[in-house]
Structure formats: C-alpha cells, structure tokens
Amino acid sequence: MATAAVAFDDGFRATLSSSTNRRRRLRLPPNRVWPGVYTVERRRLLARKRGVQSLRCGAFPLWRNEKMRRNRTSGWRTAGSLGLLLAFVAGVAVLTPVAAQEPEEARGNPYGEWRFQSGDAWGTRYSPLDQIDAENFEDLEVAWVWRGDNFGPHPLYLSRSTPSYIDGILYTVAGYRRTVAAIDPATGETLWTYREPNTRRWEESMRASYGKGVGYAEIDGRGVIYIITPAFFLHALDAKTGEHLEGFGKPVPIDGFPDTGVIDLLADLGHEYDPYEGIPMDVGYITNSSPPIVVNGTVVVGNSHEQGYAQSRIENVPGDILAYDAKTGEHKWKFNVIPQSESEFGFDTWQNDAWDWTGDVSSWAPLSADMERGIVYIPTNSPTIDYYGGFRPGNNLFGTSTIAIDVETGDRVWHFQTVHHPIWNYDLPNVPILVDVTVDGQEVPMAIQTTKQGMTFAFNRETGEPVW
C-alpha cells in the first residue's frame, strides 16, 4: 500500500514521498499558510489529486542542506534519547522499593509501584520512595538506554508516554503506532511488544504520536495491560506475555487482528462506520491520546478529536465516554458529553438544535478515580469549533467541565463547567487531582482541577460543592 508524507521547510516547500517511489514537489507562496493542510478532509483531497494513497502532515523534516540536516537531526536524536533516558533510568531508580519496607496499598497502588499514568488512581503523580534525594541525585549514572523512537514508519523524536512500573516490569507505548512494550527495569531488555495491524483509521489519526501510557488491572490474579490505539481500538494484553486476553471483546473483521482480546470502540458510539476506514469524514472523526483507567472492574475510555487550533468545520461526533467490563469486555455504559434528548441533564444548554450536529467535548487529558466511592473524574474540552460558537448559543454542557460519573452505572454524580459557552481553546488540560484536606478542622475529600488560565478549582469530590 502506498503511503505519503508532507512536511515543510522554512521556504514552505512540500515533498510527497510514497512507497512507490513517486516524488513530486509543489511550491507554496512564501509567508503564507496553506489553508486546511492539517485537516483530514484536505489531506485526503490532496492525496487523491497527487495520486497517492494517504497524505500525512508533519511526518518528515526537510533540510536546506546536508550540514543543517546533520546538525538538526543530531540535536533531535540527542533530545529524544535524553527523554527516554530520564524517563526510564531515573524512573527505575525511583520505582525500586526498599526491601526492608512493607508494601501497602494506597490509591490503587502497592507500595513503590506506578500503576496509573498519573502515578495512582488519584492522579497525584507522587511516590513515597526516598532512595533518591537531593543529596545523591548527582551521583546517578546511566544504567541503560531503551530506544523508543523507531517504533513506526519513521522516527518519533518526542515521547509523551509515562511508563508504568508494575510487579517488577516497566510498561510503555512508543512510536506513531503506539506499540506497547514491556521492559526489564534491571537491564533495559525488551520482554515483549505488541503492534496493532495497519488500518486507514490509523493512517488518518491526528493523535498517533500522543500516546501517554497504558492502563492496568488484575483479573482473577492475572495482570492485564489495557491500551487504546490511535485507530480507536481497545486491547487487553497479558502483562507477562503480551498475548491477548481470552474471552475479552469481540472479533474484529480486519486481517491481522486477533480473534479475542480487542474491542472496536467505534461500534459503541452509535455512528455509521467501517471497521477498516473508520467513521466517514462527512459524519465526523474521533481518536485517542490518553490511556484508559480501570476502576473496580470497569475500564473507562476517553477520546480526542482534531486539535482545537486546526478544526476544519462545525460538525463532528461527540466525545462520549465509554465503559467496559474489565474481564469480558462487555459494554457497560456510554455517557453523552452532549445531551441528546430533553430527558438528559444539560439538554437545555444547547440552542439552535446545535446538540444534533456539534461535536468534540472530548476527554483528551488523563482521568482519575476514587475507587472507594466508585467515581471516575473526567476533564473535557470545548465543542466544535474552539474559536467561534455563534452557531451554538447556550452554555453547551458538558464542554470544558469536570464531570464526576458513577463508574458502575454511568450516571452523572456532579459536574462543574469552568467556562460557560466554551471558546478560545480553554479546555481542561490536566487530570483532576484527588486529595484529602483538613478544612476548619474537618477532613474534606477534594478534587482539584487546574486550567489553562492558571486557575485552580477545589471541590468536595463526593458532592461537587466548592470548598473555597
């Protein structure tokens, strides 16, 4: 299958490169932006005009001369390697428990482990380990380097993944294909990998390089890694072997996919779609950037859409939240982030019938959960389009909101909208952080949400009432 890439140098020169060795050049006027170059529809149109299969933006850098290419490539490779070095070598040192200390469960984590993208279910990004401190940090030496920049059709020099440390093994995702890798933290040896077969859905994903990590749960005493791919499939993999979980999900009618252990997430959104192609572009587009979170036997799945600064039209599909049984993959519930009927809370915040065709309100940032209370906390972004909302009068729930959802039923527990009638790309970029704080002598279970505007909101995470 022929694939193509387009990238720009300082002179706005574009090169189309395909596996059939066809190379063409097109000159663009200097100091001008190529309208729509970042949109899926425009890429498909250009691909058809140029006689290639697919057109991907920003895939390869172009250099004015060989010296510049060598210098920039060398710099990028150094930065990429350093990022991996810090993520894995320092991570190994920090996440190695002291043998004399007794393990203890805390926020979904055994002592010394890092089972969630944000450290623990509460999103604290905190570890109590103290082997490394300010006094001995400068004495650390490189133990090994694991290269993750070549898991894909071309090198990825920026890693967004936070590795998980679970039962003595590191787990991460790498490359544009979001390959899952299990790594021995003592030696850096790759224990196993899994790469999803190619689909047009993956080729068109605008978030292929945004993989932030994996989800995890123990099912009948067996560790299971959960991964959402850029093509919007959910895979359940045996943590020790990388094999797909038996009896989970349904077969996917695409060559190369396993008969078990995978779920086509598009099937439960309720829109027309093709397993290989995805949702038709005249209907909408959806993908994923953050890992799922597993709460009390339920896998909760977020999603993402086009970047807010590059949206091409006002219509899209909503970023509804999906949930599945962690053992069987059975679909449990769907939470409509844009209410679809008068019986749903927030329906009256959409005027001009905009609820029927407006999309996005995705949850691209990581999720957090209170396992004791059975609540998952969802940060959302704006509806389409980020910089203009005149066609959708109203407050537009649940755009730019923190939503607390009952993990068993999918019912809304409470919500808070940080920006009414969201515009200006003020989506919520961070995981809601859960803490217990003493206020006026009383311990208050809190959820803390930070924003792009530099504001911090504090709520009682059980009731949604503001604390301050």
Side-chain angles (χ1 to χ4, degrees):
M1 178 181 296
T3 59
V6 60
F8 299 95
D9 64 7
D10 295 337
F12 288 92
R13 182 178 62 192
T15 297
L16 298 177
S17 305
S18 73
S19 59
T20 56
N21 294 322
R22 286 177 292 190
R23 296 183 179 272
R24 307 180 184 183
R25 291 186 182 274
L26 58 121
R27 296 295 303 183
L28 300 178
N31 302 320
R32 291 184 60 185
V33 177
W34 192 5
V37 70
Y38 298 104
T39 68
V40 173
E41 290 173 303
R42 178 57 64 91
R43 294 207 311 269
R44 282 184 170 175
L45 176 62
L46 290 173
R48 288 196 296 269
K49 288 183 177 180
R50 301 296 168 183
V52 293
Q53 187 73 21
S54 176
L55 190 64
R56 295 177 59 81
C57 182
F60 297 101
L62 298 176
W63 310 109
R64 288 187 178 277
N65 54 56
E66 183 65 19
K67 181 179 179 181
M68 183 182 295
R69 185 194 67 79
R70 287 198 305 268
N71 290 344
R72 293 196 183 184
T73 302
S74 175
W76 280 13
R77 288 188 181 277
T78 301
S81 299
L82 179 59
L84 291 168
L85 173 65
L86 293 177
F88 289 100
V89 177
V92 171
V94 172
L95 296 175
T96 303
V98 180
Q101 293 177 302
E102 293 295 327
E104 59 182 6
E105 289 287 339
R107 301 168 181 172
N109 261 345
Y111 179 85
E113 296 200 352
W114 192 281
R115 293 192 170 191
F116 298 81
Q117 190 273 345
S118 300
D120 53 36
W122 287 20
T124 65
R125 301 186 180 94
Y126 171 77
S127 172
L129 299 177
D130 58 4
Q131 284 178 286
I132 297 174
D133 54 30
E135 294 183 358
N136 62 23
F137 183 81
E138 64 180 11
D139 298 327
L140 291 177
E141 297 180 354
V142 175
W144 48 262
V145 175
W146 188 87
R147 295 301 299 267
D149 56 0
N150 62 346
F151 284 85
H154 48 83
L156 175 63
Y157 297 105
L158 175 63
S159 175
R160 292 180 170 90
S161 177
T162 298
S164 294
Y165 178 72
I166 304 166
D167 195 20
I169 298 177
L170 284 170
Y171 299 93
T172 191
V173 295
Y176 286 96
R177 295 193 182 275
R178 210 169 293 176
T179 298
V180 189
I183 304 167
D184 185 337
T187 64
E189 178 186 4
T190 300
L191 303 177
W192 59 260
T193 64
Y194 173 73
R195 188 191 78 169
E196 182 181 271
N198 189 73
T199 59
R200 176 62 64 84
R201 290 159 60 169
W202 172 81
E203 293 175 1
E204 302 292 2
S205 175
M206 295 183 181
R207 303 282 186 170
S209 63
Y210 281 69
K212 296 183 178 70
V214 302
Y216 176 81
E218 290 186 356
I219 305 298
D220 297 332
R222 176 188 188 184
V224 179
I225 297 295
Y226 297 90
I227 174 68
I228 308 171
T229 63
F232 212 47
F233 292 93
L234 172 65
H235 295 263
L237 308 171
D238 184 288
K240 297 298 183 183
T241 67
E243 297 294 326
H244 279 79
L245 189 66
E246 301 89 349
F248 181 91
K250 299 177 181 178
V252 174
I254 300 176
D255 289 344
F257 273 76
D259 294 329
T260 186
V262 62
I263 294 172
D264 187 339
L265 297 171
L266 292 184
D268 297 310
L269 287 178
H271 308 290
E272 173 192 355
Y273 81 102
D274 176 86
Y276 181 83
E277 299 283 342
I279 297 176
M281 289 307 302
D282 59 353
V283 175
Y285 165 88
I286 194 168
T287 182
N288 168 268
S289 57
S290 289
I293 188 169
V294 186
V295 188
N296 301 343
T298 298
V299 184
V300 182
V301 174
N303 52 73
S304 57
H305 293 73
E306 292 177 288
Q307 287 87 342
Y309 44 79
Q311 291 170 333
S312 57
R313 62 179 192 173
I314 61 177
E315 301 90 352
N316 206 339
V317 297
D320 297 331
I321 308 301
L322 301 173
Y324 299 87
D325 184 278
K327 181 177 181 179
T328 66
E330 179 184 359
H331 181 224
K332 297 184 67 171
W333 49 262
K334 176 170 76 79
F335 181 87
N336 293 331
V337 293
I338 298 179
Q340 296 295 296
S341 69
E342 294 183 1
S343 63
E344 295 183 43
F345 186 93
F347 182 79
D348 58 352
T349 66
W350 292 85
Q351 301 174 27
N352 196 31
D353 291 332
W355 60 270
D356 190 35
W357 39 267
T358 304
D360 212 328
V361 191
S362 61
S363 51
W364 62 265
L367 316 180
S368 59
D370 185 328
M371 294 187 172
E372 180 181 354
R373 292 175 172 83
I375 300 175
V376 62
Y377 300 88
I378 315 288
T380 67
N381 73 344
S382 306
T384 50
I385 55 179
D386 275 12
Y387 294 106
Y388 179 74
F391 53 85
R392 48 173 171 86
N395 284 347
N396 305 144
L397 287 176
F398 293 91
T400 315
S401 301
T402 301
I403 315 170
I405 299 176
D406 186 302
V407 75
E408 188 61 33
T409 65
D411 294 333
R412 179 186 65 91
V413 179
W414 59 265
H415 79 279
F416 185 89
Q417 188 176 43
T418 59
V419 177
H420 299 314
H421 185 75
I423 53 174
W424 302 122
N425 201 28
Y426 283 151
D427 46 327
L428 297 179
N430 293 321
V431 58
I433 301 172
L434 311 186
V435 294
D436 291 330
V437 178
T438 300
V439 179
D440 296 330
Q442 298 291 324
E443 185 176 272
V444 179
M446 291 174 55
I448 298 175
Q449 181 70 68
T450 57
T451 73
K452 288 182 177 179
Q453 302 97 304
M455 298 180 181
T456 300
F457 292 86
F459 311 101
N460 182 308
R461 67 173 180 267
E462 190 169 16
T463 66
E465 292 293 322
V467 176
W468 296 307

